Amino acid sequence: MRRVVSLYLPTWPTDRIRRRTGEPPRNEPLVTVHAVGSRRVVRAACAAAQEAGLHVGMPLAQAQALVPNLHVVEATPDEDDASLRELARWAIGYSPVVAPDPPDGLWIDIAGVAHLFGGEEELLTDLTSRLRRQGIASKAAVSDAPGAAWAVARYGSGGVVPTGRAADAVATLSIRALRVAADKLSALHRLGIERIGQLAAMPRAPFVRRFGRDVALRLDQAMGHAFEPITPLIPREAPTAALALAEPIGRLEDLKGVVLRLAKDLCRQLERRGEGVRRLDLLCQRVDQKSACLRVGTARANRDAVHLAKLFDERLQTIDPGFGIEEIILVASKVEPLTETQIQACGLSDEVAMEADIGPLVDRLGARIGMRKVYRLAPVQSLVPERMARRIPALAPPTGSVWPENLPRPTRLLDPPEPVVATALLPDHPPRFFLWRKVKHTVAKADGPERITPEWWNGDEGSAARDYYRVETVQGGRFWVFRDAPTAEGGRWWMHGFFS
């Protein structure tokens, strides 16, 4: 199923100028201008200028009359388009199918890659947040149809349009969201047609005769009834292997064979360049001009063709070949230097300690569930249990930190801790009974307390010290419970983990 993101950059020219020069401040209006006949008119206005009442197409003299200290820069549309292509190259980090949508947007086909970011909503949030941190205003929407995503991003609230709901999502939007020529737009307005849903409800034949096939095509594209191709941007410097097939293929075994052949070709290129793959994109072009893409990553640089081809094995079956696939492209969209390493020297030493190479295993798991979900825990210098570990990449080098050897800690920690109802025979003693998850436990043995004080340097001002107890119940369960304050101060009991 196709899922396309339309990224809208409402103030791209002025945002680009501010990023390049650092001026003027964001609270001061900035516009770019160009010549139209004998007049100079506003071509782009930043958010502050729009709040001041300036808009695209306004004569510069009128704009300067409204805002005396207006910052004016000559428009450079060629540089805007070139920068937009650079932004598209950056967005390849999200999907292999990315294309500029001049003058103020990008197309990103995220079918098959959204799960790597935790889902479509999370991907959109990550994309717009990163742009905002770079000083670029943006709004994004994702839908089955590029036209629907374009319309919702610019004239709707943005976000995720559920699968198969493109027509519903655009029905209430203005007909400006159809991307039709200004004269056709004026003609529609004269007839009182303001919403896409009104246009869609008209009889088809009279509508086409009156407004032309181009308007009908845009309507079909917005409602997901007509296919709209996206030509992906492939970086020239990226190692690429492509194969145009004389006869379209569709069988899974054929796809696997072609992918392996392309992987071998790609690895030969990488070997000459002394590089290995960290991210690999597979683009499949169907005979009906529809495309499908898959993306996999590796935990570290790799150019083993068989291993790289196997990363696609489990996901090739998700590609719908339709009437056949006529072209397949394999792109190493992210590479790292990789030099040859001697891993064995027979007869020279009997003490060769070969570490288990878990890189292929990590790559296979990452291809299946997403590389972000494959990690390991590293020690952190803290005594607060929730802070004693942090996530690092599965194959990251050792951090040098270690946990204290004689510090008993549960094999599983509950985060956050869960409340328990406990009864102690004496104040500030370990519990004799406690109720956790509707099950009553009778304590047979207890050890403690171990007092852990709050870390004020980590923002724990005002928090109480915790008294931890290791308890063993008559049923044999071993738990780690704590009281968050002395009994006299109304301390409550919490379950924080259990031992194996």
Side-chain angles (χ1 to χ4, degrees), residues 129-203:
S129 299
R130 292 179 67 185
L131 290 173
R132 183 170 57 254
R133 289 195 293 271
Q134 296 296 322
I136 301 173
S138 64
K139 188 177 174 185
V142 58
S143 175
D144 303 341
W150 192 96
V152 174
R154 286 159 177 78
Y155 294 92
S157 58
V160 177
V161 177
T163 302
R165 303 296 298 275
D168 298 336
V170 302
T172 59
L173 300 181
S174 167
I175 56 172
R176 293 179 180 275
L178 284 182
R179 298 177 289 170
V180 297
D183 57 334
K184 301 292 179 61
L185 204 59
S186 299
L188 291 167
H189 281 305
R190 285 198 298 273
L191 290 178
I193 301 173
E194 300 292 339
R195 302 291 168 188
I196 294 177
Q198 293 177 265
L199 189 62
M202 293 180 63

Side-chain angles (χ1 to χ4, degrees), residues 254-296:
D254 295 338
L255 283 174
K256 289 182 178 179
V258 173
V259 171
L260 178 58
R261 176 179 171 181
L262 293 177
K264 291 179 178 176
D265 183 13
L266 191 68
C267 288
R268 283 193 289 270
Q269 298 179 40
L270 293 169
E271 187 174 4
R272 290 192 292 269
R273 297 163 58 125
E275 295 174 335
V277 170
R278 286 299 309 277
R279 189 175 62 213
L280 200 58
D281 298 326
L282 180 70
L283 308 177
C284 299
Q285 191 71 32
R286 295 174 16 173
V287 294
D288 56 2
Q289 298 305 305
K290 294 182 179 179
S291 59
C293 64
L294 294 176
R295 163 167 290 181
V296 297

Side-chain angles (χ1 to χ4, degrees), residues 287-475:
V287 294
D288 56 2
Q289 298 305 305
K290 294 182 179 179
S291 59
C293 64
L294 294 176
R295 163 167 290 181
V296 297
T298 60
R300 56 190 174 199
N302 191 305
R303 58 169 178 258
D304 182 347
V306 176
H307 171 62
L308 295 177
K310 281 186 176 179
L311 296 181
F312 290 105
D313 280 359
E314 296 181 0
R315 298 176 57 201
L316 281 176
Q317 57 189 353
T318 64
I319 293 180
D320 177 13
F323 296 106
I325 295 173
E326 62 179 3
E327 185 177 14
I328 300 179
I329 305 172
L330 195 61
V331 183
S333 55
K334 184 178 181 181
V335 296
E336 284 183 355
L338 176 63
T339 56
E340 298 290 352
T341 302
Q342 183 172 347
I343 60 175
Q344 189 175 9
C346 296
L348 297 181
S349 174
D350 296 331
E351 299 178 354
V352 178
M354 297 296 295
E355 296 183 359
D357 183 9
I358 63 171
L361 173 63
V362 172
D363 293 344
R364 295 295 296 271
L365 291 174
R368 182 178 299 177
I369 63 176
M371 196 57 76
R372 294 187 179 186
K373 296 181 181 177
V374 184
Y375 60 88
R376 77 171 199 269
L377 298 177
V380 175
Q381 296 292 336
S382 174
L383 291 179
V384 176
E386 306 91 290
R387 299 189 185 128
M388 292 187 71
R390 63 184 176 91
R391 294 182 180 186
I392 61 175
L395 299 183
T399 61
S401 300
V402 295
W403 283 296
E405 294 182 357
N406 300 322
L407 197 61
R409 287 293 180 266
T411 51
R412 182 179 175 188
L413 197 69
L414 298 177
D415 188 15
E418 298 180 6
V420 296
V421 178
T423 301
L425 298 181
L426 292 172
D428 299 331
H429 273 225
R432 185 69 180 88
F433 307 96
F434 66 88
L435 185 66
W436 177 54
R437 295 182 180 177
K438 301 181 180 180
V439 177
K440 183 179 179 181
H441 299 269
T442 302
V443 176
K445 300 177 182 177
D447 185 22
E450 176 190 350
R451 174 158 294 186
I452 296 179
T453 56
E455 297 175 340
W456 55 267
W457 58 92
N458 283 327
D460 288 347
E461 298 92 344
S463 300
R466 303 175 181 176
D467 286 338
Y468 280 88
Y469 293 89
R470 286 180 292 158
V471 300
E472 182 174 336
T473 65
V474 296
Q475 295 84 6

